[in-house]
Amino acid sequence: MQKNPAQCQFVVALDSIVGKWKPIILYHLLQGKPLRFNELRRLLPDITQRMLTLHLRELEEEEIVQRVIYPQIPPKVEYSITEYGKSLSPVLETLHQWGVAHIERKQLKKAKNEQKETD
């Protein structure tokens, strides 16, 4: 790694996909079908409209997500994953698997600690 963190490839990569909601947005878009804004809102009920808009714009700017506006009234906008964005699939799948294993590990540790307290 380089000594200057601003130039570190890890920092650049993580800046593009890290956030409370970005990985979840990407997960839903990686399922294959384009989604409208309100469909994404329904899939992420705890996200605010402002935060969803912000994350979608950032992902679009990074060319990970594509926004298509259909010329109709009312306007129809769909979001989909780009070919470039699909390259994140193995990374996100690995993170998901690690997260599952990490949760199991934490639960096991908690159960062991509770067992020690009752002994």
Side-chain angles (χ1 to χ4, degrees):
M1 287 194 327
Q2 298 174 3
K3 291 185 180 186
N4 184 347
Q7 296 176 357
C8 176
Q9 289 84 358
F10 284 110
V11 173
V12 172
L14 289 174
D15 281 348
S16 299
I17 62 168
V18 169
K20 181 176 180 179
W21 300 106
K22 282 183 186 177
I24 301 167
I25 292 167
L26 291 171
Y27 167 80
H28 287 296
L29 292 176
L30 280 165
Q31 302 309 305
K33 88 173 203 184
L35 296 170
R36 295 180 73 174
F37 186 86
N38 284 331
E39 289 176 308
L40 283 165
R41 286 272 324 260
R42 279 191 288 279
L43 292 168
L44 307 163
D46 295 332
I47 194 170
T48 64
Q49 181 171 339
R50 181 183 180 282
M51 191 56 59
L52 180 56
T53 300
L54 178 68
H55 284 319
L56 286 168
R57 284 182 184 158
E58 289 172 358
L59 291 166
E60 185 180 6
E61 187 175 304
E62 295 287 337
E63 299 179 351
I64 295 170
V65 167
Q66 176 182 356
R67 183 178 81 172
V68 177
I69 304 169
Y70 294 94
Q72 64 185 47
I73 298 180
K76 177 181 173 182
V77 179
E78 287 184 338
Y79 295 90
S80 59
I81 197 83
T82 63
E83 283 302 314
Y84 178 62
K86 288 177 185 177
S87 68
L88 285 168
S89 184
V91 174
L92 293 173
E93 180 59 33
T94 301
L95 277 173
H96 173 73
Q97 291 171 359
W98 186 87
V100 169
H102 185 64
I103 289 169
E104 290 172 0
R105 181 181 173 101
K106 288 175 71 170
Q107 289 172 341
L108 184 59
K109 182 179 178 181
K110 181 179 177 184
K112 284 181 182 178
N113 287 341
E114 289 173 354
Q115 182 64 34
K116 284 180 185 179
E117 291 174 5
T118 59
D119 288 343

